[in-house]
Amino acid sequence: MGTNLYFLPGMSDQDQDTYINDLAQYGAKVVRVWVNQQSGGGHCEKGSKLSVSVPPLETTLGKFNNQTLDAVDKVVNKLSKKGIKAIISPHDANSLLGDYRKDVYSSKWSKTNFYSSKDAADAYDKRIEYILNYKGATSGKVWKEWSDAIMAFDLQNEPMSPDTSVCKNNDKSGWLCGRAKKFRQVLGADNKIQIATGGIGGDISHECTFIKAATSCAEIDLMAVHRYGGSEGSNPNQWANSAKGWLQQSGGKLVFVEEWGVNTGSSNPKTELPAQANDLNKAGVPNLYWFPKKTCSYDPSKDSGDKFGIFVEGDTDIAAVMKGASNAKAAQDWSKVMG
């Protein structure tokens, strides 16, 4: 089991260290991070105090700012020293929505054309190549050669979620497999680093997670599920029952839950987190939650858009949940990925 923390590169050194030490003590195996902008200036974002300002990787298409990757490299290096591997999302599809997250890809192509334009695909391929060939300022490692620390790269965070008509039409332009081929070309055929989908279409309720365009693509290794469901009491065995179908739809690829959450506004996380985690363990599906560290004032239960955060060092026994996951039997063989 592991966690996501979008804001980790923007936290202070001390907060990063405390957080990563907590995760290591809990027995976390994987942490997912993003190549993204961080506002800095002490801004509080979902409980994380952002002390470090990190620029976008691209403010002009094709011109890359290493400061962004340096910030990610530092946390991946810290994680690696604690025996925790990283999944890296090279871009967030939410940036295409045109809201406060808007970036150069949104400005040039918008969500309407990004996944169908050859120019957009070519520009994104340059981003992929740059990221994979980047040499860490802290680690001194070329990322594409750093399989000891990097478990996988997502194609993108939630590709096609801004316009699910693209994935509901089975990605007719071949964006998903085209980007996977680019990743594998740069990584090399025998590279242990995996290529994950990143949660196609966002939440699994959008019915894009296991589209044929992805399950039939030889270069995609991992099918990432993003699912935010209801309580275990209202839907017993929801994970175990769903996972059977996921494994059948996966085309033989490894399946993991990359994002999931307990609604802290309607359920008590002290009981609901272990209940759902136990269900996931029965399903035998590896998973990553959203366990931030509370370094500024924030109550997820009162967040109108995201009630799923459960804090490390809080009153929910995350350590027991992670231990249970470590002792669970996986439904598929992950030894070549995690070994």
Side-chain angles (χ1 to χ4, degrees):
M1 189 177 186
T3 184
N4 298 267
L5 190 50
Y6 188 91
F7 308 108
L8 187 54
M11 291 162 58
S12 70
D13 264 321
Q14 182 178 347
D15 286 345
Q16 287 175 358
D17 292 343
T18 304
Y19 178 73
I20 291 169
N21 286 337
D22 284 341
L23 293 179
Q25 289 174 7
Y26 294 164
K29 300 289 192 294
V30 177
V31 172
R32 179 170 171 243
V33 293
W34 282 250
V35 175
N36 65 311
Q37 182 178 6
Q38 304 282 346
S39 58
H43 179 66
C44 184
E45 193 67 58
K46 299 187 185 300
S48 296
K49 182 179 180 181
L50 302 182
S51 301
V52 180
S53 177
V54 180
L57 179 61
E58 293 173 87
T59 51
T60 301
L61 283 169
K63 294 185 178 180
F64 304 99
N65 190 334
N66 273 2
Q67 187 180 343
T68 315
L69 301 179
D70 293 346
V72 178
D73 182 72
K74 183 167 73 170
V75 297
V76 173
N77 193 58
K78 289 181 177 184
L79 290 166
S80 179
K81 288 181 177 179
K82 293 294 182 179
I84 301 172
K85 290 200 169 188
I87 296 174
I88 300 176
S89 276
H91 184 254
D92 185 1
N94 289 307
S95 301
L96 301 171
L97 289 170
D99 59 12
Y100 65 96
R101 294 164 289 193
K102 181 177 180 179
D103 69 0
V104 288
Y105 295 101
S106 176
S107 298
K108 178 74 173 178
W109 292 286
S110 79
K111 67 179 184 180
T112 307
N113 299 312
F114 179 77
Y115 296 104
S116 59
S117 165
K118 184 181 183 303
D119 287 345
D122 290 345
Y124 195 80
D125 282 351
K126 290 178 182 177
R127 181 185 182 98
I128 291 170
E129 188 162 6
Y130 192 87
I131 289 171
L132 294 181
N133 284 309
Y134 161 79
K135 184 175 181 178
T138 300
S139 68
K141 304 286 189 180
V142 177
W143 278 9
K144 69 179 180 182
E145 299 169 357
W146 200 15
S147 61
D148 288 346
I150 299 172
M151 185 190 101
F153 286 95
D154 285 335
L155 298 176
Q156 186 182 41
N157 175 55
E158 299 191 338
M160 302 173 186
S161 58
D163 182 4
T164 55
S165 67
V166 180
C167 52
K168 287 179 181 292
N169 200 31
N170 198 35
D171 183 22
K172 293 302 183 186
S173 296
W175 190 92
L176 295 164
C177 199
R179 307 298 67 72
K181 288 178 184 294
K182 181 63 178 181
F183 267 106
R184 186 50 64 197
Q185 174 200 336
V186 181
L187 287 169
D190 298 325
N191 197 316
K192 188 179 176 181
I193 295 174
Q194 303 287 286
I195 301 166
T197 56
I200 303 165
D203 192 88
I204 196 167
S205 61
H206 299 151
E207 300 181 345
C208 286
T209 302
F210 293 100
I211 60 172
K212 191 73 173 176
T215 59
S216 64
C217 177
E219 287 76 15
I220 290 175
D221 304 300
L222 310 179
M223 302 301 298
V225 174
H226 291 196
R227 180 182 183 272
Y228 293 88
S231 69
E232 193 70 7
S234 65
N235 188 8
N237 300 313
Q238 56 182 307
W239 294 104
N241 291 339
S242 297
K244 296 173 185 176
W246 299 343
L247 298 181
Q248 291 171 355
Q249 297 175 70
S250 70
K253 301 182 187 303
L254 294 174
V255 177
F256 73 112
V257 178
E258 190 173 53
E259 291 188 18
W260 67 282
V262 167
N263 186 331
T264 62
S266 58
S267 297
N268 184 345
K270 288 193 286 187
T271 54
E272 188 63 27
L273 179 69
Q276 293 202 35
N278 287 338
D279 189 4
L280 273 161
N281 292 342
K282 285 191 294 183
V285 179
N287 60 94
L288 309 181
Y289 195 83
W290 175 253
F291 294 127
K293 176 176 173 56
K294 189 173 184 178
T295 54
C296 54
S297 180
Y298 170 72
D299 183 352
S301 69
K302 293 181 170 58
D303 187 323
S304 60
D306 179 1
K307 299 181 184 294
F308 303 103
I310 298 177
F311 294 116
V312 301
E313 299 182 354
D315 57 2
T316 300
D317 194 349
I318 297 172
V321 169
M322 287 200 175
K323 183 177 180 180
S326 295
N327 293 332
K329 182 179 180 181
Q332 296 173 289
D333 182 6
W334 284 80
S335 59
K336 292 182 180 178
V337 179
M338 295 301 296

